[in-house]
Amino acid sequence: MMKTGIATVSISGTLEEKIEAIAAAGFSGIEIFEQDFIADDRSPREVAARVREAGLDLMLFQPFRDFEGLPAPLRARAFDRAERKFDLMQELGCDLMLVCSSVHPEAMGGIDRAAQDFAELGERAARRGLRIGYEALAWGRHVNDHRDAWEVVRRADHPSIGLILDSFHTLARRIDPDTIRRIPGDRIFFVQLADAPAIEMDLLYWSRHFRNMPGEGDLDITGFMRAVMATGYAGPISLEIFNDQFRGGPSRTIAGDGYRSLVALMDDVRRAEPEAHVDLPTFPARTTVEGTAFLEFAAQGEDKSALERLLATLGFRRTASHVSKSLTLWTQGKIRIAVNAETTGHAHSAWVARGTTVCDIGLNVSSAAETLARAQALGAESFRQPLGPGQLDIPAIRGLGGSVLHFLDQTSGLADVWSVEFQAQEDDPAPDAGLLHVDHIAQTMSYDEMLSWSLFYTTLFDMHKTPMVDVIDPDGLVRSQALSSPDGRFRITLNGAETHRTLAGGFLAESFGASVQHVAFATGDIFATATTLSTVGFEALPIPSNYYADLAARFDLDVGLLDRMRAANILFDVDEHGAFFQLYSRPFAGGMFFEVLQREGGAYAGYGAPNAPFRIAAQKRLMRPKGIPRIKREIERKKPSDI
Ligand code: MG
Ligand code: MG
């Protein structure tokens, strides 16, 4: 089996917390970072025993710096330092040391000089049954390219001396990873992986603060790893991530993200490089989500009535009730919204914890079983609750932030859930407003959690990431990133709030953590929809006339069109693919809202980001004074009848 590892420096906490989190995530071993070891108060033998007790290998001891190319007497001292570290490694029972290329001001260049130093170090290491791996730092004084490091190793020509590859150092310097294909796989002792966002900055600073998990950044980690595996390399594959957010993040989440990213990456590598041997159990490829099957809200009491009134004014009809649960179904076009007022189970817990919230999302996929299998291979937890009579066992997993995702497909009868579990109900036939399907689901989280969420979706589903955009809230910045299935049938926007004063941040505090803040429904004709909505009592978010004056200045719009937009509080944008119209509901339940939109010709690719500052300002004007709704809801939640 492929050995997976992670450097202790990659995650937060004490060494003990790191060990626990790394073991729980499913890794086979760790790279022990010397700093983490020194900060611990246990002896080397005790630490080693603890690591093994947790089921982990001690794969690598690192880093040993500024070794090669030194003049006398510094050279002799470097060997002495190495011998002291060899003592420690023997106590730890770790047989591989990482030596990174020197940045010492007195280090001299020359491949042969360095090779001689390594030949001698290899001899000393071999006497103790240890091995040395040489890594080219991107900012090394003389060696800063894996091709040069390999040449040093090749000329050292000692079985205890090998190469260590680190994707960051190769890719940050834009060195073609295919040059790795020429290196014999058995001369590579260890492989470290890190991705990073594309930012122009000093290499050392970039590396120490902005590395992230494979798939979270912009480097071609798959290309790098394909080249490594093509050499026949069969050793450990390990993450070495220096990231300020991760250092402050929850250790279990970060370790879980690391494992997920590594397994997804190696699965991509095996699919792209079939001749290479990736020793990993097989699991299904990324799922292409075919659309949103349903959204389930947890809501009770007055909040439930308010939500149902709002749904009715959006043209939804209550078409069915669950056979055994307090669960009603509201439908329009292909949209299904369930409102769950159960007093036990997941929806109830979600309501108690957060108030009105989206507690469950159902997705249409081609195979629910395969989607579940992939999710589990990536470390996701499957979700189950006791089934009542006649209830179908629909595959589900826990997403992030306590959310649940159900997978429905056509093959296993799961799509029949609506006829099997629900009883149709004839209500007053309210007019349909022409809403067709869910266009996107917008989830709000703290900025620090955004990478976890995007990794979750992009490793499980076939989704494109668009570059992050800044949304200006009058009280701060919100970062927004959109993820979309290739044909756009499933879209998620992630909104990362940095302060509680923004609309998104206030919602986050109000809902006690990340969750769905808005849902957008698509219509084929927003003006017809707006006309119908006005007859059923829908109150749109009022947009100030300044906005329309600005639209008139920015775009060459027909006056009649502008007037119709103004009358219906419709916002406008256009990109190279087509025009875009949107309108919003007023906020409800602590800052949630609905959006209605039209992508003219289905072509506009964005989400109306230029309009977001005006929408947010308009919503904030309508929000109740801070503090009141939350206290009120906490009191409501504590009513004995609700428990
Ligand atoms: Mg490294
Ligand atoms: Mg939106």
Side-chain angles (χ1 to χ4, degrees):
M1 266 289 280
M2 185 182 88
K3 295 258 190 207
T4 55
I6 183 167
T8 52
V9 70
S10 309
I11 55 177
S12 62
T14 60
L15 183 56
E16 182 54 34
E17 288 163 345
K18 291 172 193 236
I19 291 168
E20 281 171 19
I22 292 168
F27 287 98
S28 31
I30 59 171
E31 299 176 31
I32 192 152
F33 222 72
E34 196 176 13
Q35 284 291 330
D36 282 321
F37 168 70
I38 297 168
D40 201 83
D41 61 357
R42 288 170 290 188
S43 74
R45 280 176 204 282
E46 285 168 337
V47 168
R50 174 65 190 115
V51 170
R52 295 201 170 88
E53 181 197 56
L56 298 168
D57 291 342
L58 262 172
M59 294 171 162
L60 179 74
F61 177 84
Q62 74 135 322
F64 189 72
R65 301 180 192 279
D66 295 337
F67 164 72
E68 76 281 18
L70 289 170
L74 292 172
R75 182 175 188 275
R77 248 181 262 154
F79 277 95
D80 288 346
R81 273 197 295 128
E83 293 282 0
R84 297 292 74 75
K85 296 303 170 192
F86 289 169
D87 296 342
L88 174 57
M89 287 172 65
Q90 285 185 303
E91 282 195 69
L92 286 168
C94 175
D95 80 333
L96 180 61
M97 175 194 264
L98 178 146
V99 177
C100 51
S101 60
S102 184
V103 296
H104 197 287
E106 291 185 50
M108 297 176 286
I111 297 283
D112 282 324
R113 185 193 326 269
Q116 260 171 25
D117 288 348
F118 275 103
E120 186 176 336
L121 190 66
E123 205 45 44
R124 294 190 187 208
R127 269 181 234 142
R128 303 198 194 212
L130 304 177
R131 297 177 304 145
I132 305 292
Y134 184 42
E135 174 193 55
L137 293 178
W139 53 88
R141 188 169 173 83
H142 300 288
V143 172
N144 50 34
D145 183 321
H146 68 250
R147 291 167 292 194
D148 292 339
W150 162 239
E151 193 52 26
V152 169
V153 167
R154 197 184 66 81
R155 292 193 207 173
D157 193 23
H158 193 287
S160 298
I161 299 294
L163 183 68
I164 291 183
L165 292 166
D166 180 321
S167 62
F168 180 87
H169 295 304
T170 293
L171 299 172
R173 288 179 47 91
R174 301 197 171 92
I175 299 164
D176 180 2
D178 280 334
T179 54
I180 293 168
R181 290 174 186 264
R182 295 193 286 268
I183 302 169
D186 61 350
R187 304 301 299 141
I188 304 171
F189 280 4
F190 203 80
V191 174
Q192 297 178 314
L193 294 175
D195 203 338
I199 329 174
E200 284 299 325
M201 66 164 75
D202 171 68
L203 284 174
L204 176 60
Y205 196 80
W206 190 21
S207 172
R208 292 270 166 88
H209 301 275
F210 292 93
R211 287 185 176 214
N212 55 24
M213 305 296 180
E216 290 183 340
D218 301 307
L219 301 180
D220 181 18
I221 307 295
T222 309
F224 175 89
M225 213 49 224
R226 285 179 63 178
V228 169
M229 296 313 287
T231 68
Y233 175 74
I237 298 159
S238 182
L239 301 168
E240 190 199 31
I241 319 287
F242 309 93
N243 182 296
D244 298 346
Q245 275 168 247
F246 297 175
R247 274 188 249 246
S251 37
R252 290 238 173 186
T253 306
I254 304 299
D257 285 355
Y259 184 77
R260 161 182 293 274
S261 75
L262 197 48
V263 171
L265 167 73
M266 294 314 292
D267 181 54
D268 289 342
V269 168
R270 103 172 119 198
R271 288 171 199 280
E273 194 80 22
E275 317 79 54
H277 180 60
V278 177
D279 194 6
L280 190 71
T282 56
F283 54 86
R286 280 182 181 74
T287 296
T288 305
V289 180
E290 295 162 1
T292 304
F294 70 86
L295 291 161
E296 183 172 325
F297 283 81
Q300 306 209 348
E302 214 180 282
D303 282 357
K304 173 177 179 271
S305 313
L307 172 62
E308 293 185 327
R309 271 197 306 277
L310 180 54
L311 290 173
T313 66
L314 276 161
F316 284 89
R317 291 172 199 164
R318 193 166 71 189
T319 47
S321 303
H322 195 271
V323 291
S324 59
K325 292 196 216 169
S326 176
L327 184 60
T328 52
L329 186 65
W330 295 74
T331 59
Q332 183 171 185
K334 288 183 186 161
I335 310 162
R336 287 189 180 89
I337 293 180
V339 180
N340 189 325
E342 284 283 282
T343 52
T344 57
H346 167 67
H348 181 249
S349 315
W351 186 78
V352 169
R354 299 164 177 276
T356 299
T357 188
V358 173
C359 60
D360 199 338
I361 298 173
L363 300 176
N364 289 323
V365 296
S366 59
S367 166
E370 287 188 4
T371 308
L372 181 66
R374 181 173 176 92
Q376 287 177 318
L378 296 174
E381 204 188 316
S382 74
F383 170 83
R384 276 229 149 98
Q385 58 182 359
L387 296 176
Q391 275 181 251
L392 300 176
D393 191 9
I394 301 174
I397 58 164
R398 277 202 184 275
L400 300 177
S403 63
V404 168
L405 286 176
H406 273 90
F407 307 122
L408 289 94
D409 63 28
Q410 298 298 325
T411 53
S412 47
L414 298 176
D416 297 338
V417 61
W418 313 112
S419 51
V420 175
E421 286 195 24
F422 286 81
Q423 212 153 43
Q425 169 178 331
E426 291 300 323
D427 251 17
D428 304 333
D432 182 309
L435 304 186
L436 303 170
H437 56 85
V438 173
D439 181 90
H440 64 272
I441 298 167
Q443 291 177 309
T444 297
M445 64 230 35
S446 80
Y447 174 66
D448 287 352
E449 298 172 302
M450 280 184 87
L451 284 176
S452 289
W453 284 78
S454 67
L455 184 74
F456 176 82
Y457 289 119
T458 56
T459 49
L460 181 54
F461 304 130
D462 184 12
M463 294 187 95
H464 300 303
K465 259 193 303 193
T466 57
M468 212 177 269
V469 294
D470 293 342
V471 172
I472 311 298
D473 180 295
D475 297 307
L477 195 67
V478 175
R479 317 281 180 96
S480 187
Q481 176 150 54
L483 308 170
S484 166
S485 65
D487 61 5
R489 278 193 287 176
F490 176 54
R491 298 167 185 266
I492 293 264
T493 60
L494 306 175
N495 299 291
E498 294 198 75
T499 149
H500 284 181
R501 295 173 58 231
T502 58
L503 183 79
F507 170 74
L508 210 52
E510 188 68 24
S511 59
F512 297 94
S515 57
V516 173
Q517 186 169 12
H518 81 262
V519 179
F521 306 118
T523 169
D525 181 348
I526 199 160
F527 293 101
T529 293
T531 304
T532 310
L533 291 182
S534 67
T535 66
V536 290
F538 175 76
E539 289 185 302
L541 179 73
I543 302 300
S545 56
N546 293 343
Y547 171 79
Y548 296 96
D550 178 60
L551 270 193
R554 282 195 294 141
F555 300 104
D556 184 21
L557 290 172
D558 177 79
V559 179
L561 180 64
L562 202 60
D563 286 344
R564 290 163 73 205
M565 286 195 278
R566 185 188 289 115
N569 293 294
I570 291 170
L571 299 142
F572 174 82
D573 191 31
V574 65
D575 70 5
E576 68 271 32
H577 307 293
F580 179 67
F581 301 92
Q582 54 185 165
L583 64 84
Y584 288 95
S585 78
R586 295 174 179 230
F588 69 100
M592 298 181 84
F593 54 95
F594 291 109
E595 175 183 358
V596 172
L597 63 77
Q598 181 187 354
R599 299 175 188 275
E600 213 175 50
Y604 175 88
Y607 299 82
N611 294 327
F614 315 119
R615 183 258 298 168
I616 292 167
Q619 286 169 321
K620 282 190 149 178
R621 280 194 287 274
L622 291 178
M623 296 288 283
R624 289 170 289 179
K626 279 185 178 138
I628 295 169
R630 179 152 147 198
I631 292 162
K632 185 166 161 268
R633 215 173 50 225
E634 270 168 16
I635 294 165
E636 276 173 8
R637 261 181 241 160
K638 283 178 185 134
K639 272 194 253 171
S641 62
D642 293 326
I643 312 276

